[in-house]
Amino acid sequence: MALDGKGIIVLDNGGYNIKAGYVSPEEKSRGCDVENVSSPPEVFPNAVAKPPKKSSNVVTKRNGGFLVSAELYDLPSYSGLFFRRPIERGYVKEWDLQKDVWKYVFTQSKVDPKESCLVVTEPIALPGSLRRGMDELVFEEFGFASYHSAPPAALVARYFDMTDGLVLDSGFSFSHAVPILNSGAQQRYSRRLDL
């Protein structure tokens, strides 16, 4: 997904994987249907790992001794690795790790944040302190022109023009059942299942 020029970056920031897609201005003007999107989203592990001390991998020397996101795929074995994930129990707890993973994703995807808008998923009923952390990351660290964050259920309801229904969102560390009433996700009646 080589991203040149202005566009919208769509980031599904999951606890296990990040799915990153791009909507060009031309695709946006065509209504952004699945058939109109030029490339499928890319999938990146949302993790950082420290290999054993005896490892002399060139990549780890570049990143201060850590492997970031898809660099993990280059290893012949995962034995002895110390994994860290920025997301615990569905919420970003380690913003510095999340910044490293996003930086890798944007670099690999050739994203210029200053020329792009970001749409990113967030857990339903996200506490204000965690939202401020995302605001700081998006604007202060990456300098995006603008961004919108929403629970996946709200984005699904909007995409499918759903006025009423139930969206089931199953992820790495939990699942949500989110009722949709009058085209809006009802946080008050949503249920989280830690599965």
Side-chain angles (χ1 to χ4, degrees), residues 3-195:
L3 311 180
D4 300 317
K6 295 182 180 180
I8 300 171
I9 311 305
V10 180
L11 205 64
D12 183 2
N13 197 45
Y16 187 78
N17 282 326
I18 291 178
K19 289 159 285 296
Y22 176 72
V23 180
S24 70
E26 298 81 35
E27 292 167 336
K28 185 180 174 195
S29 68
R30 291 193 306 248
C32 195
D33 290 330
V34 173
E35 296 81 25
N36 293 338
V37 177
S38 58
S39 62
E42 291 187 60
V43 178
F44 299 90
N46 197 359
V48 174
K50 178 107 172 148
K53 291 198 185 269
K54 62 185 175 190
S55 175
S56 62
N57 190 329
V58 174
V59 174
T60 61
K61 291 178 182 172
R62 216 177 39 231
N63 294 329
F66 287 91
L67 295 163
V68 179
S69 191
E71 292 172 344
L72 297 168
Y73 294 147
D74 297 335
L75 295 176
S77 170
Y78 293 146
S79 64
L81 286 179
F82 175 68
F83 275 91
R84 291 190 59 206
R85 296 192 181 275
I87 296 180
E88 292 178 23
R89 312 278 293 154
Y91 298 105
V92 177
K93 299 290 186 177
E94 299 285 341
W95 287 106
D96 288 336
L97 290 179
Q98 191 65 79
K99 178 179 75 172
D100 291 341
V101 174
W102 280 15
K103 183 176 181 181
Y104 178 86
V105 169
F106 298 148
T107 301
Q108 293 300 307
S109 304
K110 298 181 176 77
V111 169
D112 181 6
K114 292 172 181 42
E115 296 292 321
S116 305
C117 300
L118 177 68
V119 175
V120 63
T121 59
E122 67 178 24
I124 199 157
L126 183 69
S129 61
L130 295 178
R131 182 166 287 118
R132 282 189 295 279
M134 187 175 309
D135 293 345
E136 289 175 17
L137 188 63
V138 168
F139 291 120
E140 294 176 18
E141 294 291 335
F142 291 105
F144 274 94
S146 65
Y147 97 107
H148 174 73
S149 61
L155 296 174
V156 166
R158 184 171 184 167
Y159 181 81
F160 287 106
D161 213 13
M162 183 186 299
T163 54
D164 298 312
L166 181 70
V167 176
L168 299 174
D169 178 19
S170 293
F172 178 61
S173 56
F174 64 90
S175 296
H176 272 125
V178 182
I180 307 296
L181 298 171
N182 299 323
S183 302
Q186 303 299 305
Q187 288 186 6
R188 182 177 183 188
Y189 302 109
S190 299
R191 294 294 174 256
R192 174 180 166 133
L193 304 167
D194 292 319
L195 299 176

